[in-house]
Amino acid sequence: MESETLQTLDADAAAEVQQILAAASDHDLCSLRALLRTHSANVQDPTNGYTPLHAAIAGADPSQKEQQRNGVVNGGNVDAESGEEANEAEAAVQTLKLLLQNGAIWNDLNRDDETPGCLALRLGLPNLYNIMVDAGVRAEILLSRLNEYEQLRDDDIEEPADLEAPTNHNTASSSPPATSTAPSGALENTTDSSSATPEPQPPNQPTYLSSSLSFHPDRILDSSANSVMMSWETSLMSRTAALLAPSPGLRILNIGHGMGIIDAEFQRTSPSTHHIVEAHPSVLARMREQGWYDKPNVVVHEGRWQDVLPRLIESEEEEEDGGGEANLFDAIYFDTFAEPYTALRAFFEDFVIGLLDEGGKWGFFNGLGADRPVCYDVYAKVVELDLFEAGFEVEWTNVEVPDLEERGEWEGVRRPYWMLKEYRLPVARFMG
């Protein structure tokens, strides 16, 4: 008897999931609104993994709509058809907004490894894609603020907090933790992920700094075959150096030497002084072998930037008090490994303001969310908002990136850190 009851409950739950998905796909706002009063917006089809957001976007697929019209309308009124399209597009927009207002998670994946935004981009639905990007921005900002609150609370009780998963080349994950505002007792996600193979996670910085590195002509790998830096980035570094240091005789600060790609580019501009901050012992040893310590205009700072930069600012203040020359820079670049976005944000909120001279420019390796376009767009907006809040304006330059997988760049690499066709190169400066 108990088994029959459980089977009945499972059947009822599955039926309710399909009702929610069907209402979302049909953009039936009245039915969907009623269902969401007692059910979660975060359910999934067990077959294709569609969430209601996926279903709503798939329901707006222009190719399917065109097939439906061709099957029904032949030589109909063009104005009427145009008005119907506009109504359908608006219904899709309102459906997404309703689902998001009810706690739908912006970056849940379906069976094809697509977020709702990925699906909208593939189907050529820019309005719906932009809604998903904006939803991602709101969610990430909220998550960031909640993490800051947790840090303050944990500091009060003197317990360490791991606020954010570490990232490769400051690359934010496309699937961060998300919060749901679904009603209590709501029908939850029904997809079984217990058998899924976990993706390899990037290292944290303490692990990286204590690991052994292998140096190759086209890459640096850590002991777990994570790519620290690769030569395919040379075109990006060259363009970055040209934008940050367009003339000779500038004062340059670079955080993170790696393969030395951007430092070599900076040297070609004949800077008046060139400071390099590097933390990994193996990279420092290689720098000494390659003669970086002997260059007349280069100063190598050994250690983590969190430890080095306060000393630079402190010595700058002492120089100013004594009438000497301060440690101010015309160009600053930031490219560290195995640190989260919160580290980059702390860098520009707490240190750039004390190191960048008026009229100077700074940039960073922009690998935030680089595993899929929707995440890249989300994090570009997040960082732009954070930069604005810190007093910076940023200009983006799009740089084409070849198909790295087709070129075999990821062979022997544990975790690809770039999957996009374009790199969005940031150059920031003080506002005003």
Side-chain angles (χ1 to χ4, degrees):
M1 185 68 178
E2 182 178 352
S3 176
E4 291 178 4
T5 303
L6 288 174
Q7 289 177 359
T8 302
L9 288 174
D10 289 343
D12 290 344
E16 289 168 345
V17 168
Q18 294 306 319
Q19 287 176 0
I20 295 169
L21 293 170
S25 178
D26 294 339
H27 308 142
D28 184 349
L29 291 168
C30 292
S31 298
L32 186 60
R33 193 174 287 111
L35 288 164
L36 293 177
R37 291 193 185 101
T38 54
H39 298 89
S40 171
N42 295 309
V43 297
Q44 284 187 279
D45 188 306
T47 303
N48 57 21
Y50 270 28
T51 67
L53 288 172
H54 288 95
I57 291 168
D61 183 353
S63 63
Q64 290 189 6
K65 295 295 182 184
E66 186 63 28
Q67 290 175 5
Q68 292 172 5
R69 291 190 189 94
N70 290 339
V72 177
V73 179
N74 186 10
N77 187 291
V78 174
D79 291 338
E81 289 183 36
S82 178
E84 182 183 349
E85 290 178 13
N87 291 336
E88 290 174 350
E90 180 59 22
V93 167
Q94 294 305 318
T95 300
L96 289 189
K97 289 182 177 180
L98 176 62
L99 290 166
L100 292 166
Q101 289 165 2
N102 281 269
I105 296 174
W106 72 276
N107 59 351
D108 266 343
L109 300 174
N110 64 13
R111 297 289 190 191
D112 293 325
D113 195 43
E114 289 183 316
T115 69
C118 297
L119 180 61
L121 184 64
R122 177 167 62 81
L123 296 179
L125 300 167
N127 289 342
L128 303 188
Y129 177 80
N130 289 334
I131 289 174
M132 296 314 306
V133 169
D134 290 342
V137 172
R138 290 193 300 271
E140 291 304 296
I141 290 176
L142 174 61
L143 183 64
S144 172
R145 298 302 179 261
L146 289 173
N147 281 339
E148 290 172 359
Y149 171 77
E150 288 296 324
Q151 184 181 31
L152 290 173
R153 188 185 69 174
D154 289 340
D155 286 345
D156 288 340
I157 60 178
E158 299 182 354
E159 290 183 0
D162 182 13
L163 296 183
E164 188 174 343
T167 56
N168 186 2
H169 254 320
N170 295 300
T171 305
S173 166
S174 66
S175 302
T179 56
S180 172
T181 56
S184 60
L187 187 64
E188 293 301 327
N189 188 316
T190 60
T191 302
D192 180 12
S193 59
S194 60
S195 60
T197 302
E199 292 186 3
Q201 295 300 308
N204 56 44
Q205 197 184 53
T207 301
Y208 162 65
L209 292 179
S210 63
S211 69
S212 60
L213 301 182
S214 58
F215 295 87
H216 307 268
D218 64 340
R219 67 189 65 184
I220 299 175
L221 300 178
D222 70 7
S223 55
S224 299
N226 293 298
S227 177
V228 178
M229 181 170 279
M230 301 180 72
S231 61
W232 72 262
E233 301 172 29
T234 299
S235 61
L236 308 182
M237 300 297 178
S238 178
R239 187 71 179 274
T240 299
L243 291 172
L244 291 179
S247 59
L250 299 182
R251 300 158 296 174
I252 293 173
L253 170 64
N254 178 42
I255 291 68
H257 180 76
M259 294 176 69
I261 298 173
I262 199 162
D263 284 316
E265 296 292 334
F266 282 141
Q267 279 291 295
R268 292 190 179 95
T269 69
S270 301
S272 62
T273 184
H274 182 179
H275 289 243
I276 303 171
V277 180
E278 175 56 50
H280 201 289
S282 297
V283 176
L284 290 167
R286 190 172 178 82
M287 291 178 70
R288 193 175 293 278
E289 291 172 3
Q290 294 177 336
W292 283 97
Y293 282 76
D294 303 323
K295 294 181 185 295
N297 60 348
V298 170
V299 180
V300 178
H301 301 272
E302 300 183 357
R304 298 171 66 246
W305 62 267
Q306 293 92 335
D307 301 320
V308 170
L309 297 187
R311 294 197 296 267
L312 268 180
I313 293 175
E314 183 179 346
S315 63
E316 171 191 323
E317 293 170 350
E318 291 174 356
E319 291 288 351
E320 289 178 340
D321 292 340
E325 186 177 350
N327 285 320
L328 290 176
F329 298 94
D330 303 298
I332 299 175
Y333 189 66
F334 184 92
D335 183 11
T336 63
F337 181 77
E339 288 192 306
Y341 169 63
T342 49
L344 171 62
R345 196 175 73 186
F347 170 73
F348 65 71
E349 287 179 344
D350 300 336
F351 295 104
V352 173
I353 192 170
L355 293 168
L356 187 67
D357 203 356
E358 185 178 353
K361 296 179 286 188
W362 75 276
F364 57 93
F365 183 84
N366 183 23
L368 302 166
D371 56 346
R372 58 185 75 236
V374 65
C375 296
Y376 200 59
D377 289 341
V378 164
Y379 293 119
K381 287 194 173 187
V382 169
V383 73
E384 189 165 336
L385 290 170
D386 285 339
L387 285 168
F388 179 82
E389 190 173 314
F392 297 99
E393 58 186 10
V394 61
E395 183 176 345
W396 305 95
T397 300
N398 291 332
V399 181
E400 186 176 348
V401 177
D403 189 328
L404 301 177
E405 188 170 6
E406 186 178 86
R407 287 182 10 177
E409 293 285 353
W410 304 123
E411 291 179 9
V413 176
R414 182 185 182 200
R415 178 179 177 269
Y417 60 87
W418 189 271
M419 303 298 291
L420 307 178
K421 296 179 180 178
E422 277 192 337
Y423 174 80
R424 193 169 295 165
L425 190 160
V427 173
R429 65 189 80 205
F430 291 119
M431 285 192 294

